[in-house]
Amino acid sequence: MTESHARTPATPSALVDPLRNRGVAFTQEEREALGLAGRLPSAVLTLEGQCRRAYQQTQAQGSDLAKNVYLEQLHDRNETLYFKVLAEHLAEMLPIVYDPTVGEAIEQYSHEYRRPRGVFLSIDRPDDMEKAFATLQLGPEDVDLIVCTDAEEILGIGDWGVGGIQISVGKLAVYTAAAGIDPHRVVPVSLDVGTDRESLLEDPLYLGNRHPRVRGAEYDEFIEKYLETASSTFPDALLHFEDFGPSNARRILEQYGGRYRIFNDDMQGTGAITLAAALSAVKVSGVRMRDQKLIVFGAGTAGVGIADQLRGAMIRDGTDPERATAQVWLVDKQGLLTRDMTDLRDFQRPYARDPAEVADWARDDGGAILLLEAVRRAKPTILLGTSTAHGAFTREVVEAMSAGTERPVILPISNPTSRIEAMPADVITWSRGKALVATGIPVPPVGYEGVTYEIGQANNALLYPGLGLGTIVSGASQVTPGMLLAAAQAVADQVDPSGPGASLLPPVEDLRESSAITATAVVKAALDDGVATSKPVDIGEAVREAMWQPVYTDGAVA
């Protein structure tokens, strides 16, 4: 009696390759050509029919995390259908595939792991970088965009190690859904340098390097090797950095921004979308950009990055650099930052105040100048919240803002809702309808004394997809301040904020059209700044031709 050996039936490659798979949308002729006879139900659906069913299946999931998991499974099976669902329901799906639901997916990554997506680079094996990128089997001209993260500071949830790959995957999904970046030409990357989260280090299922975060010279050498390898392997790619720790994020951008095609969304993207809100507010308040006075509450990487961009806009509007710097105040956990403080970070120092200037300002029992006193004394026109300190913009603070300027611009952009500095309904009421408000979270309209106030969301997705597309179309060698300003201005110009209660920012419902407009402005700025390597005759046409569409093409049958 012979021993029988069970054999798993082979699955035709067209059904397991998410770039080629169409599922039941394969026609009978395609099924025959691809060797799929009998491997699919008889019915042939259109992409639109598949999209309706997939959307219904998404809606049937019991939670936002379950929806995220379902969509990731769809992403793993059929990329075209996945992006069709996102494109058809973009405003609804953005919070599912990215912030805030992606935070839950990151926390559960090692336990919900299904299949690898992207490239995992380990600081324990730095010499594997070239081999890792080579496994993609992509040529030097085949990649437009790489999103990497070391996952030290994720979405307000902190250090989650290798699970941060979901940030890179989610960010690229938004790039594709919102701006038509070709998903076949992008690469998500995890830079695994370890984790300081004890729960991960003690978790037997954790999939990342099981040691504390590597810092110092070894970390710096790893980052430099990544930049050199990624840029030499894929010389046309935009290198997007996401959710790095505050000191590393700024240092990497400042050190390498002039040598590589780098973009940091936490610093530059957040700064540019906030600048867009400020540019809209200028149209309403009548206060020129050069005359704005800004208090930043929460002087970390994001807050100071925004301050830098607003300062740059002040300078471009005619004020001198020294005066522009003097029109920015930073308030952090230790109160108003002054030059005599010993714990200042390098990027905070330019904005720290002379102690003599504030010698007579009121202080608390610990000697700190608190936010309310800073608002009363500085009389800012813009109050920005990046602190994640829920409720920090109190009634007294908002009333002090309103007393100091006719139309105060109040931007509590911390998220999620549990971390926002003030809810717009309170800000509108406390300012008696005078405040111009944008937030970092989606907020329903606010009614006050017969006026409906539309609250714009300072969502980076309004800006970075178009910026990335414009950088790719122009072949820009760098992302310049002029390109960031152009993106911010393009977003601001897409809304008329002059009507009673009008939003400072456009809605996210039509992001593809919005991104095309932004990308066109970015290409023009790249040309003006002399960094463009491609010079299209018709910029608008070049942008739209570059936008990938979620449709089935003949290439899947090849």
Side-chain angles (χ1 to χ4, degrees):
M1 189 171 184
T2 60
E3 181 181 354
S4 63
H5 296 278
R7 187 171 66 87
T8 302
T11 301
S13 61
L15 292 182
V16 296
D17 181 356
L19 302 181
R20 299 173 63 207
N21 185 23
R22 302 181 184 181
V24 293
F26 279 122
T27 65
Q28 295 298 341
E29 292 77 14
E30 290 166 346
R31 298 178 191 195
E32 189 69 27
L34 292 167
L36 299 180
R39 299 305 297 270
L40 292 165
S42 297
V44 176
L45 294 188
T46 63
L47 175 60
E48 289 70 23
Q50 287 180 299
C51 181
R52 285 193 297 272
R53 182 177 60 194
Y55 177 67
Q56 290 173 1
Q57 291 172 340
T58 305
Q59 293 299 95
Q61 305 305 309
S63 67
D64 285 349
L65 180 59
K67 291 178 182 179
N68 175 281
V69 170
Y70 168 79
L71 287 169
E72 274 303 295
Q73 291 172 334
L74 180 61
H75 196 184
D76 290 341
R77 294 195 309 271
N78 184 331
E79 286 216 354
T80 301
L81 177 55
Y82 169 77
F83 284 112
K84 179 70 171 177
V85 174
L86 262 59
E88 291 290 321
H89 307 278
L90 190 52
E92 181 182 351
M93 294 299 173
L94 273 178
I96 303 299
V97 300
Y98 199 63
D99 185 18
T101 309
V102 73
E104 295 181 68
I106 290 166
E107 293 175 352
Q108 298 298 320
Y109 178 75
S110 292
H111 289 256
E112 294 285 348
Y113 180 81
R114 292 172 297 281
R115 57 162 284 182
R117 177 176 289 275
V119 173
F120 298 82
L121 304 178
S122 168
I123 198 166
D124 297 345
R125 302 180 64 86
D127 293 335
D128 285 355
M129 279 193 195
E130 290 185 11
K131 289 188 289 185
F133 282 123
T135 63
L136 298 172
Q137 298 183 315
L138 297 171
E141 299 178 351
D142 292 340
V143 175
D144 294 325
L145 178 61
I146 302 174
V147 175
C148 76
T149 183
D150 74 354
E152 184 173 4
E153 284 287 342
I154 295 177
L155 298 170
I157 63 174
D159 175 359
W160 280 90
V162 77
I165 188 67
Q166 293 296 94
I167 281 290
S168 299
V169 171
K171 207 79 177 185
L172 287 170
V174 179
Y175 267 115
T176 296
I181 306 295
D182 190 336
H184 309 147
R185 299 177 59 84
V186 304
V187 181
V189 170
S190 164
L191 298 175
D192 187 356
V193 299
T195 178
D196 291 335
R197 186 173 291 276
E198 287 296 326
S199 62
L200 294 180
L201 295 174
E202 296 170 0
D203 183 351
L205 294 182
Y206 178 59
L207 294 173
N209 283 328
R210 201 174 294 275
H211 59 66
R213 281 187 172 270
V214 175
R215 303 184 186 277
E218 187 178 354
Y219 175 90
D220 293 343
E221 290 169 7
F222 183 64
I223 295 299
E224 185 167 17
K225 185 174 182 65
Y226 164 72
L227 285 166
E228 291 174 350
T229 305
S231 62
S232 61
T233 306
F234 305 115
D236 298 330
L238 172 63
L239 306 180
H240 176 131
F241 281 67
E242 188 74 22
D243 288 343
F244 281 67
S247 58
N248 288 332
R250 190 178 188 92
R251 184 167 45 81
I252 291 167
L253 184 62
E254 291 179 347
Q255 185 171 350
Y256 297 108
R259 291 167 51 189
Y260 299 100
R261 189 183 288 107
I262 293 177
F263 170 68
N264 185 301
D265 189 46
D266 303 302
M267 292 178 60
Q268 295 168 297
T270 302
I273 192 60
T274 308
L275 174 57
L279 292 171
S280 285
V282 163
K283 300 174 187 176
V284 181
S285 70
V287 179
R288 291 282 298 266
M289 201 65 219
R290 65 190 180 198
D291 297 320
Q292 297 289 337
K293 293 190 291 183
L294 168 69
I295 283 185
V296 178
F297 183 62
T301 297
V304 180
I306 295 169
D308 289 344
Q309 291 204 40
L310 293 178
R311 174 184 175 274
M314 295 175 195
I315 294 169
R316 284 186 289 269
D317 194 39
T319 194
D320 64 81
E322 185 176 351
R323 178 171 179 249
T325 302
Q327 289 169 194
V328 178
W329 289 260
L330 303 182
V331 182
D332 210 82
K333 296 174 183 177
Q334 63 270 55
L336 180 73
L337 301 191
T338 55
R339 295 173 194 166
D340 56 344
M341 292 179 172
T342 59
D343 56 350
L344 294 179
R345 295 174 176 175
D346 55 352
F347 56 84
Q348 296 169 333
R349 292 186 182 282
Y351 297 110
R353 314 304 292 196
D354 184 343
E357 174 193 349
V358 297
D360 63 340
W361 289 24
R363 299 170 184 265
D364 69 0
D365 293 341
I369 298 173
L370 302 183
L371 175 62
L372 178 58
E373 177 70 2
V375 169
R376 285 172 173 166
R377 293 298 197 109
K379 293 182 170 52
T381 55
I382 302 174
L383 175 60
L384 171 69
T386 55
S387 67
T388 68
H390 182 72
F393 292 176
T394 63
R395 180 175 193 136
E396 290 77 13
V397 168
V398 173
E399 289 177 344
M401 281 290 299
S402 302
T405 185
E406 180 60 29
R407 296 301 303 272
V409 182
I410 300 180
L411 308 172
I413 66 169
S414 291
N415 61 76
T417 303
S418 61
R419 296 177 181 269
I420 193 171
E421 288 82 6
M423 292 302 293
D426 291 331
V427 174
I428 296 296
T429 300
W430 295 336
S431 69
R432 298 183 180 180
K434 294 198 302 180
L436 300 165
V437 186
T439 62
I441 60 172
V443 176
V446 173
Y448 178 76
E449 293 192 351
V451 176
T452 299
Y453 293 81
E454 300 289 338
I455 308 300
Q457 184 186 1
N459 187 331
N460 290 22
L462 288 167
L463 188 136
Y464 73 79
L467 176 69
L469 178 60
T471 303
I472 292 166
V473 170
S474 67
S477 58
Q478 297 177 29
V479 177
T480 65
M483 292 162 67
L484 291 166
L485 175 61
Q489 189 68 65
V491 172
D493 287 345
Q494 292 175 45
V495 64
D496 178 5
S498 60
S503 174
L504 297 179
L505 293 166
V508 299
E509 276 73 15
D510 196 11
L511 266 183
R512 285 182 75 89
E513 179 61 27
S514 174
S515 294
I517 294 170
T518 300
T520 301
V522 170
V523 174
K524 292 177 181 176
L527 289 165
D528 291 341
D529 288 348
V531 296
T533 60
S534 176
K535 300 179 180 180
V537 176
D538 186 324
I539 295 174
E541 182 180 356
V543 165
R544 293 180 187 283
E545 285 184 353
M547 296 178 74
W548 178 85
Q549 303 294 333
V551 295
Y552 291 136
T553 62
D554 291 340
V557 186

